[in-house]
Amino acid sequence: MENIFGVWKGEYFEKELLIKFSSDNTCLLSIIDNNYNSIDTLNGNFMMDISKIPILLSIRNIPQLNHPLHTIVEFVGIDSIKLGKFAPRWRVRPISFKQNESFILKRVSQTE
């Protein structure tokens, strides 16, 4: 199984995205908007279903939102992942990667 644990960084719709996946299945999302000098932080519990292709990723129990976030993930290499656009309901999550609706995150650091 590919290792998702660690800190990942990339661009998400002209914003900087930082996601930390911890081994206790918690995660922290930071969305940095340099145009407005703002940082939005979300935290929750993540779940990956590696039995599916593409791999399903859900983030639930997010106190800052009244809905979960669902997407798909593909390991591009040891230190790169591709994510699809986030959706508020699993039925509308992407089922394939579209050019203008997916993005790459690079591993910044690895945790246990």
Side-chain angles (χ1 to χ4, degrees), residues 91-103:
R91 287 186 180 269
V92 295
R93 96 169 73 213
I95 57 170
S96 63
F97 294 99
K98 296 186 177 143
Q99 182 145 3
N100 295 330
E101 294 181 358
S102 63
F103 53 99

Side-chain angles (χ1 to χ4, degrees), residues 1 11 14 16 19 21 25 28 34 36 56 61-62 70 72 76 90 92 96-98 110:
M1 178 177 143
E11 294 283 317
E14 298 181 14
E16 190 177 324
I19 304 178
F21 293 103
N25 282 30
L28 182 70
N34 292 319
Y36 293 99
L56 305 180
N61 305 322
I62 305 168
H70 302 282
I72 52 176
V76 182
W90 71 271
V92 295
S96 63
F97 294 99
K98 296 186 177 143
Q110 191 163 347

Side-chain angles (χ1 to χ4, degrees), residues 1-13:
M1 178 177 143
E2 274 80 348
N3 183 0
I4 191 86
F5 305 126
V7 179
W8 302 82
K9 182 179 182 178
E11 294 283 317
Y12 181 67
F13 296 101

Side-chain angles (χ1 to χ4, degrees), residues 53-103:
I53 296 176
I55 298 168
L56 305 180
L57 174 68
S58 295
I59 302 171
R60 301 176 188 278
N61 305 322
I62 305 168
Q64 299 86 350
L65 299 176
N66 61 1
H67 59 80
L69 296 173
H70 302 282
T71 189
I72 52 176
V73 63
E74 177 184 334
F75 287 87
V76 182
I78 296 171
D79 292 323
S80 295
I81 55 175
K82 184 192 298 186
L83 291 177
K85 187 176 173 182
F86 287 105
R89 295 193 330 260
W90 71 271
R91 287 186 180 269
V92 295
R93 96 169 73 213
I95 57 170
S96 63
F97 294 99
K98 296 186 177 143
Q99 182 145 3
N100 295 330
E101 294 181 358
S102 63
F103 53 99

